[in-house]
């Protein structure tokens, strides 16, 4: 049994991690913490956990954490993980960080978008971007995994086959993305936030969202040339799920959806959590909510000039906690799908 710690256990992603880990046959949760006023049993905070996880959720105590766990999930806000990851790594633990603190190869990009000086440059260089569909071999030996952002997960999986095979142009990619409100983290008692989203749909941070540079970094890597997407996120009045509609210019006007679907199926033949739709079928949120799947549908428009990709994930599972457990499975040599199907 692997001994597991979850830091940030009371947040959306932390709670989701605990739900998944409790069902994982090879894991035992041995330490949980968050920023809380008074340590209390996890099951007193979340009644669903009664009789399943009665551990006390404490404020972070790194000594206790390092004594009790082998794998540590950091489900902390950006800028917070880099304050503690180094000490946990020094104690020989594997760290899987759900924040953006270790996702960027160019520290200047991180510092620009997260408006903070990076505090752990040494480990930033060693971190592996935890998207198993692209980096499984590197993840196997990683000590520090930077779990991808939710929007980037869906965007990168949608575009990687086309950019890798040079089927679409790297310029002029437009990503129209919609998320449920859990993507923004838990906001207790935040009524103005709830009243803004209820019965509503709105765009936000247009061409100014911190996930844009992360998407650009990874797609440029895949394409072998600079990619700069136009990314427009929207907020849906639902709790969980991301749906992205992506428009790219085809390099040839003779493409057929059937051959693109074959390409995607081949590209993801060893990826148990990517499902490619048949021709003229497209993903919907209800198919992926509460699962670790990313569903992708592809279409060529009538004059053959554009390829349209629609993808759907659950932001809390494939976009966060599920993907983090998928990474843990790979690091530990477990079946990649263990605890996730
Ligand atoms: N939500 C998503 O869909 C999603 C998807 C992908 C990645 N992520 C990333 O995952 C991380 C967690 O996101 P989330 O949505 O779960 O956020 P959240 O709901 O705001 O939860 C954050 C957690 O961290 C705890 N915390 C905050 N500051 C802390 C500190 N200094 N020491 C210890 N614990 C501290 C919070 O405790 P209190 O609640 O008591 O303050 C809470 O348990 C973020 O970096 C986020 O960007 C989230």
């Amino acid at each position: 049994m692997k001994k597991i710690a979850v830091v940030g256990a009371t947040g959306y992603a932390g709670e989701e991690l605990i739900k998944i880990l409790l069902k994982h046959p090879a894991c035992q949760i041995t330490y949980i913490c968050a920023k809380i006023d008074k340590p209390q049993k996890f099951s007193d905070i979340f009644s669903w956990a009664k009789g399943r996880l009665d551990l006390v959720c404490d404020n972070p105590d790194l000594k206790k954490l390092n004594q009790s766990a082998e794998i540590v999930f950091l489900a902390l806000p950006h800028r917070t993980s880099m304050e503690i990851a180094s000490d946990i790594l020094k104690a020989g633990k594997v760290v899987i960080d759900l924040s953006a603190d270790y996702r960027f190869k160019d520290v200047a990009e991180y510092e620009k978008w997260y408006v903070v000086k990076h505090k752990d440059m040494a480990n930033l260089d060693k971190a592996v971007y935890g998207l198993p569909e692209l980096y499984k071999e590197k993840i196997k030996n990683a000590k520090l995994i930077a779990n991808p952002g939710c929007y980037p997960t869906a965007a990168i999986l949608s575009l990687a086959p086309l950019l890798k095979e040079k089927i679409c142009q790297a310029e002029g990619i437009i990503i129209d993305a919609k998320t449920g409100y859990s993507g923004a983290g838990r906001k207790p008692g935040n009524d103005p936030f709830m009243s803004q989203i209820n019965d509503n749909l709105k765009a936000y941070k247009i061409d100014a969202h911190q996930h844009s540079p992360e998407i650009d970094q990874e797609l440029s890597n895949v394409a072998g040339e600079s990619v700069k997407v136009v990314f427009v996120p929207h907020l849906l009045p639902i709790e969980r799920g991301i749906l992205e509609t992506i428009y790219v210019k085809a390099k040839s006007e003779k493409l057929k959806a059937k051959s693109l679907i074959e390409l995607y199926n081949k590209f993801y033949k060893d990826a148990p959590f990517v499902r490619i739709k048949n021709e003229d079928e497209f993903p919907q949120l209800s198919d992926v909510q509460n699962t670790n799947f990313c569903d992708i549908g592809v279409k060529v428009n009538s004059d053959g000039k554009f390829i349209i990709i629609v993808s759907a994930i659950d932001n809390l599972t494939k976009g966060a906690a599920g993907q983090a457990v998928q990474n843990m499975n790979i690091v530990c040599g477990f079946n990649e799908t263990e605890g996730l199907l």
Side-chain angles (χ1 to χ4, degrees):
M1 282 290 209
K2 284 279 174 203
K3 293 181 180 162
I4 311 286
V6 178
V7 183
T10 56
Y12 264 122
E15 183 192 7
E16 192 67 23
L17 268 166
I18 287 169
K19 280 185 177 161
I20 297 170
L21 290 164
L22 283 174
K23 287 192 273 181
H24 197 294
C27 290
Q28 185 193 359
I29 301 170
T30 51
Y31 184 81
I32 52 173
C33 62
K35 195 173 78 185
I36 61 176
D37 296 336
K38 178 165 77 72
Q40 56 183 319
K41 278 187 188 172
F42 187 76
S43 53
D44 287 342
I45 306 171
F46 295 104
S47 54
W48 64 260
K50 214 154 194 61
R52 298 178 66 198
L53 187 66
D54 293 322
L55 267 182
V56 169
C57 184
D58 205 348
N59 278 298
D61 178 332
L62 290 192
K63 199 166 162 212
K64 272 195 207 161
L65 180 151
N66 285 332
Q67 278 167 356
S68 48
E70 302 162 85
I71 311 268
V72 180
F73 291 95
L74 301 181
L76 291 169
H78 311 306
R79 308 175 188 93
T80 311
S81 292
M82 65 180 167
E83 305 270 358
I84 62 170
S86 167
D87 284 345
I88 303 170
L89 288 162
K90 264 188 220 140
K93 316 296 169 186
V94 169
V95 173
I96 303 175
D97 177 33
L98 280 75
S99 85
D101 287 359
Y102 294 95
R103 291 182 199 153
F104 285 82
K105 294 300 158 206
D106 178 357
V107 70
E109 279 290 284
Y110 173 83
E111 292 182 347
K112 175 178 150 196
W113 286 87
Y114 291 87
V115 203
V116 68
K117 200 112 194 95
H118 205 288
K119 294 190 178 156
D120 187 19
M121 297 280 287
N123 286 312
L124 184 62
D125 284 344
K126 295 180 198 150
V128 171
Y129 191 75
L131 190 63
E133 290 75 14
L134 297 187
Y135 300 118
K136 200 180 297 185
E137 287 311 308
K138 285 188 181 169
I139 292 166
K140 279 181 188 166
N141 299 311
K143 296 284 178 236
L144 171 59
I145 296 172
N147 214 59
C150 46
Y151 284 129
T153 294
I156 299 161
L157 293 176
S158 298
L159 288 159
L162 298 178
L163 287 165
K164 181 91 187 160
E165 300 305 325
K166 313 244 173 258
I167 281 170
C168 72
Q169 295 185 24
E171 244 181 52
I173 296 174
I174 296 174
I175 303 173
D176 175 313
K178 298 175 182 72
T179 186
Y181 57 80
S182 61
R186 217 163 228 137
K187 303 217 172 351
N190 193 344
D191 290 337
F193 178 72
M194 288 310 286
S195 63
Q196 275 176 42
I197 57 170
N198 187 37
D199 225 1
N200 197 6
L201 172 64
K202 66 170 190 172
Y204 68 103
K205 290 192 181 175
I206 297 177
D207 206 28
H209 193 283
Q210 68 278 10
H211 283 172
S212 287
E214 185 182 331
I215 296 170
D216 291 346
Q217 167 182 290
E218 290 306 315
L219 292 181
S220 300
N221 214 5
V222 172
E225 63 181 304
S226 170
V227 176
K228 201 166 178 339
V229 301
V230 176
F231 177 62
V232 184
H234 299 73
L235 190 56
L236 288 169
I238 59 169
E239 187 183 29
R240 53 201 292 164
I242 284 179
L243 190 115
E244 297 187 4
T245 308
I246 303 179
Y247 306 84
V248 300
K249 288 184 195 153
K251 279 197 173 169
S252 150
E253 290 180 16
K254 297 202 173 83
L255 288 170
K256 294 276 175 269
K258 199 163 168 253
S259 62
L260 292 181
I261 289 165
E262 276 168 21
L263 167 80
Y264 274 73
N265 275 318
K266 196 167 157 216
F267 194 89
Y268 289 120
K269 68 177 175 10
D270 298 322
F273 291 111
V274 179
R275 301 186 297 195
I276 308 303
K277 300 297 248 185
N278 293 327
E279 200 169 349
D280 284 325
E281 289 177 5
F282 298 94
Q284 52 183 346
L285 287 184
S286 56
D287 289 341
V288 296
Q289 278 161 329
N290 298 295
T291 82
N292 200 48
F293 288 109
C294 174
D295 284 2
I296 299 176
V298 193
K299 175 143 187 130
V300 180
N301 83 325
S302 51
D303 64 8
K305 289 189 174 151
F306 284 89
I307 303 167
I308 299 149
I309 310 114
V310 181
S311 60
I313 61 167
D314 185 316
N315 55 296
L316 292 175
T317 40
K318 185 59 179 162
Q323 183 139 266
V325 171
Q326 191 181 348
N327 281 317
M328 177 199 74
N329 285 341
I330 294 168
V331 167
C332 295
F334 301 147
N335 189 324
E336 193 174 335
T337 59
E338 202 70 83
L340 291 167
L341 287 178

